[in-house]
Amino acid sequence: MEILAPCGSTESVTAAVRCKADAVYLGAKGLNARRNAENFEYTELKEAVRYCHERGVKVYLTVNTLVSDSEMKEAYDTVDEAMKAGIDAFIVQDLGLAKMIKACFPEARLHASTQCSVNTPEGFKALEELGFERAVIPREMSLDEIYEIRKATSMELEAFVHGALCMCVSGQCYLSAFLGSRSGNRGLCAQPCRLPFSADSSGTCDLSLKDLSLISRVKELEKAGICSLKIEGRMKRPEYVAAAVTACKNSLDGNYSEAEEDRLQKVFSRSGFTDAYLTGKRNDMFGTRTKDDVISASEVLKELRQLYKNEAALIGVEFDFICKKNEPVSLIAKTDTKTVSVTGMTPEKAINRELSEEELINRLSKLGSTPYFIKDIHITLDGGLSLAASKINRLRRSAVEALSPEEDKKYIKLPLNTIPPSKKAEEKYYTARFSDASQIPENHPFKRIFLPVYADSNDLLKHGAGVEIPRGLFGYEDKLKTRLTQLKALGIKTALCSNLGAYKTAKELGYEVFGDFGLNVFNSESASYFNSPVLSFELSSKQINALSKEDAGIIAYGKLPLMLTRNCPVKNNIGCEKCNKNGYLTDRKGYKFPVKCSPFPCVEMLNSVPLNISDRQEEFGCAFFHFYFTDESNNEVKRIINSFKNKTAPEGEFTRGLYFRGVK
């Protein structure tokens, strides 16, 4: 199995490689999900790739953020430089970016980031159809669910085995963006979830999880079809990287111990580790970074630096040395992946002492601080010859240098083509989703309405509603297919989908499918994949107006879902009985964030106040406005509709969201 290490700096690359990682992942400046890491300028990136490839280690570049239309050229240039440097694969979240890479750099290898939010077998099939060769599975999956994914796709599967564990499903967190304009989907998450968000108003941190560690269970992951063990932590120090890589290596070799786990916990943890998602026993998962956690790290840092102090000889080399009369000497060097040949001076006739095999083997074995070790040396030597030691050493050095990777990789590059501007809608229409049929007013103005897929069938039929499919479907895809098949037979025709798996499933069952906000449509390329998509609400009004898609919309009203989580923070703290499906979290400033559950396996945390642009509709050039109704009464819905019809200012507390301030 591949051990894949996080590298936010050059020193971390050294630590990972010397501790025998098989691959590393890192980011260039900008356009990656850890923009606050040190990251790599192009010259540094090129040197990192050369260093790693010389030692047989692969390098994957993270371009795993949402990319706007205005940034697509920058993304193209980044991929171009990375291809030139010899990057082995690109880790991608944005489907529009993936489309651009495949079109312009057909030889590029794509790995789907866990930020793609794919959590069902059909979703992984969809990624494979889009050209991805590997996918990172969500951290929230159980072992049984991993087996289901393995059966569904021939793609390589990669799993996080150690590091920070976010409360929210990757790619579906908007909390940092809304509270401070620092988007987790754009690589600048401020981690507000580690602050107090309490279900009982006591100031507890009910959104902060312990760190993940599955290092003791890597053999189980191997049996489940995982090919790559991914360590989280590009923001963490090199000593952490060294400790985690060494622990993974020892676990694969059967040598992982409690003492090593203790060392890992000391270098970084949040009240210990958890494996609860893998086992499906999601209790005792919550923890924070304590003073004791910080103090314990200082105890092991010096020890951990010793793990990568010296160069590690990682690559075996065979030498064939040929020394014959009246011919230039030659040295052939072979590794598992490359063979080179160098020639030197013609040997002289020995006067005092002739050259021996023992001396040649001794000279050729001196590989010093190179990444190579001797596997075998073959000598072809005529008698009575002499060759200076300096010339033998020079020959050996030349051969080793020739084994180094080529300076620039050759690859196919096609020009970047942009989607031409689309015609803007002269008159907008309205669509809506409702949590409950009782909210739907008579004579409503909506062209399309949707109710949750688990809503009463009679309500769906009565109101001519389509079904809204939940974003989190872990292990529930068969249940969803059964429900959709029943509803289709009853005459339900439309579906609103927020993830690739649901979109693919509903389409194959004959529904007219519409794209929802959870697909994170952020540019014209990604918009082209989906029918009448609701665009990402992290886009600014300027970006929305510049986007090329004739029938795209935005959420114009609603308490937006800021988190999607498989582990209910309210249930963990006060229990379901006290919550009675009316739970909420209170932050340190006293704002209350409703938490909504469903028959499907995830809960959503909503914003404390609704988004509302009723009096600023004219500033948007999209085709339709989508209303996201959650806990509003029927009368409140009527009032909101009237305010949009009359274009009057919102009543009560509200937010403009990110439309006029944008995200970083």
Side-chain angles (χ1 to χ4, degrees):
M1 298 178 79
E2 175 186 88
I3 297 174
L4 176 56
C7 295
S9 67
T10 299
E11 189 179 351
S12 290
V13 172
T14 302
V17 172
R18 289 185 175 179
C19 290
K20 301 185 178 179
D22 302 292
V24 302
Y25 65 103
L26 44 78
K29 299 288 185 181
L31 299 180
N32 78 86
R34 292 294 183 271
R35 283 161 62 193
N36 281 333
E38 186 176 319
N39 292 316
F40 295 79
E41 299 284 1
Y42 174 62
T43 53
E44 296 169 325
L45 176 66
K46 188 174 181 180
E47 175 56 27
V49 173
R50 185 205 63 76
Y51 175 83
C52 289
H53 283 182
E54 190 174 41
R55 290 153 180 81
V57 176
K58 292 182 178 179
V59 184
Y60 308 143
L61 187 72
T62 58
V63 281
N64 54 341
T65 63
L66 300 181
V67 179
S68 67
D69 281 344
S70 63
E71 294 168 326
M72 199 61 77
K73 178 60 167 62
E74 178 189 350
Y76 176 90
D77 292 340
T78 297
V79 174
D80 186 18
E81 296 287 9
M83 289 290 288
K84 192 182 299 181
I87 285 289
D88 296 287
F90 297 90
I91 304 172
V92 182
Q93 170 189 8
D94 191 310
L95 298 183
L97 175 59
K99 183 179 179 182
M100 181 277 285
I101 293 174
K102 291 303 289 185
C104 299
F105 305 92
E107 297 165 301
R109 178 180 169 88
L110 296 183
H111 293 180
S113 169
T114 189
Q115 290 280 120
C116 290
S117 296
V118 172
N119 50 58
T120 63
E122 288 297 324
F124 280 83
K125 287 181 184 177
L127 287 174
E128 189 170 9
E129 290 168 3
L130 290 172
F132 288 95
E133 297 181 56
R134 178 187 291 190
V136 188
I137 64 169
R139 297 166 174 86
E140 296 82 6
M141 279 194 167
S142 69
L143 195 61
D144 288 342
E145 289 161 358
I146 295 173
Y147 273 100
E148 289 181 5
I149 302 302
R150 180 68 285 161
K151 292 176 185 176
T153 178
S154 60
M155 274 192 305
E156 295 177 358
L157 296 180
E158 179 177 301
F160 281 98
V161 293
H162 192 79
L165 196 57
C166 294
M167 186 67 178
C168 186
V169 173
S170 294
Q172 299 301 309
C173 187
Y174 310 99
L175 185 64
S176 178
F178 266 75
L179 297 189
S181 294
R182 292 179 57 180
S183 169
N185 283 314
R186 301 268 295 159
L188 283 176
C189 180
Q191 298 189 10
C193 53
R194 302 295 181 186
L195 298 171
F197 281 85
S198 177
D200 60 4
S201 301
S202 66
T204 52
C205 297
D206 291 344
L207 293 177
S208 183
L209 296 178
K210 294 179 179 179
D211 279 19
L212 168 75
S213 193
L214 306 178
I215 293 177
S216 64
R217 313 188 74 135
V218 295
K219 292 296 184 182
E220 295 172 69
L221 292 172
E222 186 173 27
K223 288 180 182 177
I226 298 299
C227 74
S228 179
L229 305 174
K230 187 170 192 173
I231 300 163
E232 185 277 338
R234 282 193 289 135
M235 296 287 288
K236 295 194 176 76
R237 57 197 313 153
E239 294 91 341
Y240 164 90
V241 175
V245 171
T246 301
C248 285
K249 197 76 175 175
N250 289 340
S251 185
L252 286 172
D253 293 340
N255 297 322
Y256 188 59
S257 64
E258 287 186 14
E260 189 154 30
E261 183 169 326
D262 179 66
R263 183 170 72 172
L264 263 183
Q265 187 167 322
K266 284 180 178 178
V267 72
F268 195 94
S269 79
R270 291 181 173 90
S271 309
F273 298 135
T274 180
D275 62 0
Y277 280 134
L278 189 74
T279 64
K281 300 174 183 177
R282 295 184 289 275
N283 52 6
D284 192 29
M285 289 187 69
F286 292 78
T288 57
R289 184 82 169 144
T290 66
K291 183 178 179 180
D292 288 342
D293 291 328
V294 176
I295 292 172
S296 65
S298 61
E299 300 173 8
V300 296
L301 294 180
K302 186 176 180 180
E303 173 192 346
L304 291 171
R305 289 187 199 106
Q306 298 303 309
L307 293 174
Y308 60 95
K309 181 180 178 181
N310 299 316
E311 177 69 72
L314 302 172
I315 302 173
V317 62
E318 293 184 21
F319 282 147
D320 285 315
F321 186 88
I322 302 168
C323 183
K324 294 184 176 182
K325 294 177 181 177
N326 303 320
E327 294 180 13
V329 294
S330 65
L331 178 61
I332 300 170
K334 300 177 184 177
T335 65
D336 290 340
T337 59
K338 194 170 186 179
T339 299
V340 299
S341 179
V342 294
T343 57
M345 302 288 291
T346 301
E348 299 175 349
K349 183 177 180 181
I351 299 175
N352 297 319
R353 183 173 63 85
E354 68 178 13
L355 188 62
S356 67
E357 284 194 20
E358 182 181 359
E359 181 183 357
L360 284 170
I361 291 172
N362 181 52
R363 293 285 175 191
L364 295 173
S365 298
K366 292 181 178 180
L367 295 178
S369 59
T370 72
Y372 303 99
F373 64 89
I374 295 294
K375 288 172 66 176
D376 204 356
I377 297 177
H378 306 282
I379 304 293
T380 301
L381 177 62
D382 286 350
L385 298 177
S386 175
L387 191 65
S390 60
K391 292 181 171 58
I392 300 171
N393 293 339
R394 188 181 305 147
L395 202 65
R396 182 198 66 237
R397 287 194 295 269
S398 297
V400 168
E401 288 172 4
L403 287 172
S404 297
E406 297 175 9
E407 282 295 310
D408 287 329
K409 183 182 176 183
K410 305 294 186 237
Y411 58 96
I412 297 172
K413 179 175 73 171
L414 301 173
L416 175 66
N417 294 316
T418 57
I419 297 176
S422 59
K423 183 181 178 182
K424 297 303 176 184
E426 294 182 6
E427 187 173 345
K428 297 176 184 63
Y429 63 91
Y430 294 161
T431 65
R433 64 84 70 184
F434 297 88
S435 292
D436 188 87
S438 64
Q439 298 172 295
I440 305 174
E442 294 181 6
N443 303 316
H444 62 73
F446 302 115
K447 181 178 179 180
R448 297 186 292 270
I449 64 171
F450 300 92
L451 285 167
V453 70
Y454 49 81
D456 186 274
S457 302
N458 291 326
D459 286 336
L460 286 161
L461 292 169
K462 176 184 175 181
H463 294 283
V467 291
E468 178 199 49
I469 299 177
R471 290 179 287 160
L473 292 169
F474 299 90
Y476 275 60
E477 190 167 75
D478 288 342
K479 181 179 179 179
L480 173 68
K481 288 180 179 179
T482 299
R483 177 64 173 156
L484 288 176
T485 301
Q486 293 170 344
L487 293 175
K488 189 72 170 61
L490 291 174
I492 307 302
K493 298 178 180 179
T494 60
L496 184 64
C497 301
S498 258
N499 68 70
L500 277 177
Y503 199 94
K504 185 175 190 294
T505 296
K507 194 171 183 179
E508 289 178 350
L509 289 173
Y511 283 81
E512 182 181 8
V513 186
F514 299 92
D516 205 358
F517 70 90
L519 292 166
N520 288 325
V521 173
F522 208 77
N523 55 60
S524 301
E525 293 287 359
S526 55
S528 69
Y529 275 122
F530 303 109
N531 180 37
S532 302
V534 176
L535 302 175
S536 166
F537 47 70
E538 292 191 291
L539 286 166
S540 69
S541 59
K542 182 179 179 181
Q543 291 168 325
I544 291 165
N545 294 337
L547 195 142
S548 296
K549 177 71 174 178
E550 285 192 11
D551 193 20
I554 62 167
I555 295 181
Y557 171 85
K559 289 182 180 176
L560 299 179
L562 301 186
M563 267 198 176
L564 177 75
T565 176
R566 195 167 185 185
N567 194 352
C568 180
V570 178
K571 178 182 177 181
N572 175 72
N573 188 329
I574 65 173
C576 293
E577 290 184 5
K578 289 185 178 180
C579 167
N580 196 28
K581 297 189 177 181
N582 288 304
Y584 58 85
L585 296 175
T586 306
D587 73 2
R588 68 194 192 283
K589 295 182 179 180
Y591 291 104
K592 296 184 184 301
F593 297 78
V595 176
K596 300 297 182 182
C597 57
S598 78
F600 282 81
C602 290
V603 301
E604 292 183 318
M605 185 179 87
L606 308 181
N607 199 13
S608 56
V609 295
L611 167 74
N612 196 323
I613 58 165
S614 57
D615 56 340
R616 301 189 68 171
Q617 299 174 63
E618 301 301 325
E619 298 177 49
F620 295 86
C622 53
F624 66 93
F625 287 145
H626 187 63
F627 292 70
Y628 193 88
F629 293 115
T630 53
D631 54 7
E632 296 84 357
S633 68
N634 185 282
N635 284 333
E636 286 176 316
V637 170
K638 290 178 182 176
R639 176 178 58 77
I640 292 160
I641 291 171
N642 285 332
S643 72
F644 270 82
K645 284 183 176 179
N646 298 323
K647 300 178 182 178
T648 56
E651 296 179 15
E653 288 189 277
F654 69 95
T655 177
R656 303 293 190 184
L658 298 163
Y659 293 146
F660 302 105
R661 56 188 169 108
V663 292
K664 297 176 183 177

